[in-house]
Each structure stands twice: as structure tokens, then as C-alpha cells.
Amino acid sequence: MPKFSQRSLDRLATCHPDLAMLFDVVIQHHDCTILEGARSDERQAELFRQGKSKLDGVTKRSKHQPVGGLSYAVDVAPYPIDWKDRERFIHFAGIVLGHAEAVGIAIRWGGDWDGDGVFTESFFDAPHYELM
Ligand SMILES: [Zn+2]
């Protein structure tokens, strides 16, 4: 059974317990690695400048910027990582979303922001999951 590395566990520990609980379940079914949880304001500003992150329309913040010390977003990739394999990220997202529904956690995936099941997003953030 796949297990998180200590680095992944440390990153997941910066996230809301619902996200930690969800990916504790996901890792039992599909190997994956936690890329990032909580993000500093400085790093968020840099990623936004580079067009690699978007902000919530209302709060003008990323859900990676902690609220009450916790990140409400997490970036996760199927392991081993192949950034060019878009289908693999979509397949993995299906696993994550299925488990989220099963445990009753409402999340949004960065490959389908509007949740319509069509992956034509202009901003396709393949590893991004956030609490709704
Ligand atoms: Zn993200």
C-alpha cells in the first residue's frame, strides 16, 4: 500500500483536517505526492505574477494562504510525477473526487473549476484541490 513521504506529511499537516483526512484515504488507493499546502503571502504574490495561481473572486486571496493557520487548498500529483501526462492527472482527479464525495467533503478541482465535467478550463491547475 502506498504511503506518504515525511515531506508530504509535513505539507499535508499545514492543511485543513478535511483535506488531510481525504488524502489519507486517497493514498491508500493511489500513490501520490503532496506538492504544497499552506503558502506564504510572498510566494503567493510571486506565483500570481507568473500566472501560475489565481485568486478567489471575493476574497482576492488564494486558498493556499492560511486562514486560522490552515490552508484550504492542497496541490497533489499522482506519483511518479509526469507533468506532460494530462490524462493521468484527470484520472487521479476522478479518484480524489470520488473519495471526497464518499466521505462527504465538498471540494473543487483546479482542472474543472466549474465542476461541469468538461476540462476546457483556460486555467488548468491539474494538481490543485480546494475546499468549497
Ligand atoms: Zn493549488
Side-chain angles (χ1 to χ4, degrees), residues 36-37 39 52-53 62 64 73-76 113 125 127-130:
E36 189 165 15
R39 179 181 291 165
K52 292 179 180 167
S53 176
S62 160
H64 285 282
V74 64
D75 295 338
V76 189
W113 294 98
D125 194 355
H128 181 91
Y129 299 89
E130 63 179 39

Side-chain angles (χ1 to χ4, degrees), residues 51-90:
K52 292 179 180 167
S53 176
K54 68 179 218 168
L55 304 177
D56 182 271
V58 178
T59 65
K60 304 295 178 201
R61 287 167 60 87
S62 160
K63 290 205 175 183
H64 285 282
Q65 290 172 275
V67 175
L70 295 170
S71 176
Y72 281 64
V74 64
D75 295 338
V76 189
Y79 190 83
I81 304 174
D82 179 357
W83 289 106
K84 291 197 268 321
D85 193 346
R86 180 181 156 113
E87 278 72 23
R88 195 146 166 272
F89 277 91
I90 294 172

Side-chain angles (χ1 to χ4, degrees), residues 23-132:
F23 284 97
D24 277 346
V25 173
V26 169
I27 187 76
Q28 295 172 36
H29 300 273
H30 199 294
D31 202 0
C32 56
T33 186
I34 307 291
L35 304 169
E36 189 165 15
R39 179 181 291 165
S40 70
D41 293 351
E42 293 71 25
R43 179 165 155 73
Q44 175 58 34
E46 180 59 31
L47 288 172
F48 185 72
R49 265 195 300 275
Q50 296 172 358
K52 292 179 180 167
S53 176
K54 68 179 218 168
L55 304 177
D56 182 271
V58 178
T59 65
K60 304 295 178 201
R61 287 167 60 87
S62 160
K63 290 205 175 183
H64 285 282
Q65 290 172 275
V67 175
L70 295 170
S71 176
Y72 281 64
V74 64
D75 295 338
V76 189
Y79 190 83
I81 304 174
D82 179 357
W83 289 106
K84 291 197 268 321
D85 193 346
R86 180 181 156 113
E87 278 72 23
R88 195 146 166 272
F89 277 91
I90 294 172
H91 170 260
F92 180 68
I95 294 169
V96 174
L97 294 170
H99 282 295
E101 191 168 324
V103 296
I105 296 172
I107 59 165
R108 178 181 289 130
W109 172 46
D112 186 19
W113 294 98
D114 56 7
D116 66 357
V118 183
F119 316 123
T120 51
E121 266 60 13
S122 56
F123 183 62
F124 188 79
D125 194 355
H128 181 91
Y129 299 89
E130 63 179 39
L131 294 175
M132 289 171 75

